[in-house]
Amino acid sequence: MADTFFWYELMTSDLDAAIDFYTRVVGWTVEDHPNSALVGVRYAILSAEGQGVAGAMQLTDDMTAGGARPTWLGYIHCADVDARAKAIAEAGGTIHVPPMDIPNVGRFALATDPGGAYFYIMAPQPPEGEAPPEALAPTTPGKFSWHELYSSLGDKAAFDFYAGQFGWETMHEMPMGEMGTYRIFGADGVQMGGIMKKPDQVPMSAWGFYTNVEAIDAAVDRVKANGGQIVNGPIEVPGGSWIVQCVDPQGAHFSLTAPGR
């Protein structure tokens, strides 16, 4: 497996309400992870076509007291979490949760890049015989298909950090006038996402994730009908796809993409 995003996690203030929202908007099916009963913390698995693609869990009082708010975070695959965490710190990043094991799941750590954007690294231990999320076709509804970083470092410095850690490549540089450059990155010749300078109205550096839906206008209607908000879009992007950026009822930002309106 390449060192790319492979899992996504929603931290939310109301797990039941968030699950209801996303099942209606995206169409994911949901069931609790078997470990939930063992550790006493509910962890919901969100699936597309029967394949788990993301998890969701309730923010604890301690997390909220520490400043945590509803958000989506991404996990980047790596073979050696301890070595990678050390390299991230040496490159100017910060390790917020040191490497630790989750029984029957894998070893992980929580980090921020030098610009302050959060991400996880993980060496997963998937159940025997279970296909990884990337086994789904790229256009499968419910699959995460694009990763976008708004960085206070600007596109090049932010990209250089991730390229040094995970071997990512610049695929294309798209000038955007006063907004700077939108740097499309990938690995092994496959595009994965874009990096750009953080707009002034965005409070902090952050990763955003785009989930596939079948048609963008119908998805917009579902977001609004179920208590979400549209922040930007719908917008047609190069290549003919459509995107929309949204906020769920608990305040977590998310984005959707579709091949047409």
Side-chain angles (χ1 to χ4, degrees), residues 71-151:
T71 191
W72 280 95
L73 294 172
Y75 285 73
I76 302 174
H77 179 276
C78 71
D80 187 333
V81 170
D82 296 77
R84 183 54 53 207
K86 182 174 183 291
I88 287 170
E90 291 174 347
T94 302
I95 302 301
H96 296 272
V97 176
M100 62 178 59
D101 294 319
I102 304 175
N104 304 315
V105 173
R107 189 165 178 80
F108 81 102
L110 175 63
T112 50
D113 65 27
Y118 280 87
F119 63 97
Y120 284 104
I121 53 174
M122 189 175 200
Q125 183 185 342
E128 187 175 350
E130 181 176 305
E134 62 269 21
L136 291 170
T139 57
T140 301
K143 179 181 173 69
F144 289 82
S145 59
W146 196 253
H147 315 85
E148 194 165 76
L149 174 61
Y150 291 161
S151 179

Side-chain angles (χ1 to χ4, degrees), residues 151-227:
S151 179
S152 61
L153 301 174
D155 69 290
K156 186 179 187 305
F159 168 77
D160 287 346
F161 169 80
Y162 287 96
Q165 297 303 314
F166 305 111
W168 297 351
E169 309 162 4
T170 294
M171 311 292 288
H172 183 64
E173 296 179 44
M174 185 185 306
M176 299 190 300
E178 294 181 357
M179 296 178 67
T181 298
Y182 190 78
R183 184 181 297 267
I184 296 175
F185 68 92
D188 302 322
V190 177
Q191 293 184 2
M192 294 163 47
I195 300 175
M196 62 179 287
K197 181 181 178 181
K198 179 184 73 63
D200 292 339
Q201 66 270 25
V202 175
M204 61 181 291
S205 298
W207 280 99
F209 309 105
Y210 288 75
T211 309
N212 296 336
V213 291
E214 293 181 347
I216 210 70
D217 287 342
V220 166
D221 290 342
R222 294 194 299 272
V223 170
K224 294 178 179 178
N226 289 283

